[in-house]
Amino acid sequence: MTGAPPPLVRLERAARTYRDGAVAVEALRPVDLSVAAGEYLAVTGPSGSGKSTLLHVLGCLDRPTAGRYLFEGKDVTALSDRDLAEVRNRRIGFVFQRFHLLRDETALRNVELPLLYAGLPRGERRRRAAIALDSVGLSARLAHRPGHLSGGEQQRVALARALVKDPSLLLADEPTGNLDSSAGGGVLSLVDALNARGTAVIVITHDPQVAAHARRRLSIRDGVVREEA
């Protein structure tokens, strides 16, 4: 009999402490957390609660200072910086409140960039970037630069850039924070559809309406993570 697959994400007493001069700041207190492949999880909490620290650990942007982080069954805590970047660049997609698009590059070029770093040839990069932009409804905007796109369109470019790598995990940090309700709803519908196709999604938000899209919720305050009923 084959055992159950390991969770996509597993934190084992993972914590993150920063130094502020002589003072130790516990930004993330020891947490045990498992997220299965294909789950949709929302993390809520006030400003300064530790949400961004948790996202940075989950996204391999930062290392826990205690405990372990297993991603796709592999302990990534002790990986070299290069190997950790490889996991981050190939398996994890990011969408942030600020779109982080290159202002002088077209939508197509912005979406191509992760594939350039992965070493794919130009023709394949352009093909996959065009498909990703089409999947978020922007096939008519390939040659447009960010300054000629609405806020909702820019966030959809950022989402396409995350999707083009075919990640197993999408991390979204306040993805609708800079959008009006109509544009934000459109972006969330795309995230919902992505999750329905099997990609695990973790959304960091302070907005109850955004959190309501998730099937599982956590709250965090003063670095302490709790499961919501």
Side-chain angles (χ1 to χ4, degrees), residues 135-160:
S135 74
V136 298
L138 291 179
S139 58
R141 296 287 191 269
L142 303 187
H144 287 62
R145 289 178 170 78
H148 296 143
L149 299 172
S150 69
E153 287 172 333
Q154 289 184 64
Q155 190 62 297
R156 283 191 278 161
V157 172
L159 184 56

Side-chain angles (χ1 to χ4, degrees), residues 197-212:
R197 296 198 298 267
T199 300
V201 175
I202 300 177
V203 176
I204 307 293
T205 184
H206 69 278
D207 187 337
Q209 293 184 341
V210 174

Side-chain angles (χ1 to χ4, degrees), residues 92-103 106-112 114 129 132-133 135-136 138 146 149-165 167 170-176 179 187 190-191 194:
I92 304 173
F94 297 90
V95 179
F96 298 99
Q97 179 175 349
R98 298 185 184 277
F99 315 128
H100 297 302
L101 301 177
L102 298 179
R103 309 298 298 179
T106 65
L108 186 67
R109 179 64 173 169
N110 269 283
V111 175
E112 274 188 71
L133 284 163
S135 74
V136 298
L138 291 179
L149 299 172
S150 69
E153 287 172 333
Q154 289 184 64
Q155 190 62 297
R156 283 191 278 161
V157 172
L159 184 56
R161 182 181 57 195
L163 302 184
V164 78
K165 301 183 293 184
L170 176 71
L171 295 173
D173 188 4
E174 302 287 4
T176 64
L179 305 177
V187 168
L190 291 168
V191 173
L194 173 68

Side-chain angles (χ1 to χ4, degrees), residues 3 32 51 56 66 74 80 84 93 110 126 129 133 138 141 144 153 155 164-165 167 173 184 188 214-215 224 227:
D32 293 308
K51 297 192 304 294
H56 285 183
K74 176 186 291 186
S80 68
L84 195 65
N110 269 283
R126 294 178 68 85
L133 284 163
L138 291 179
R141 296 287 191 269
H144 287 62
E153 287 172 333
Q155 190 62 297
V164 78
K165 301 183 293 184
D173 188 4
L188 287 175
R215 294 187 295 275
V224 178
E227 192 95 25

Side-chain angles (χ1 to χ4, degrees), residues 26-57:
E26 293 182 288
L28 181 65
R29 298 175 189 269
V31 56
D32 293 308
L33 174 65
S34 291
V35 179
E39 270 205 87
Y40 196 156
L41 177 68
V43 181
T44 63
S47 178
S49 61
K51 297 192 304 294
S52 293
T53 300
L54 178 61
L55 179 141
H56 285 183
V57 170

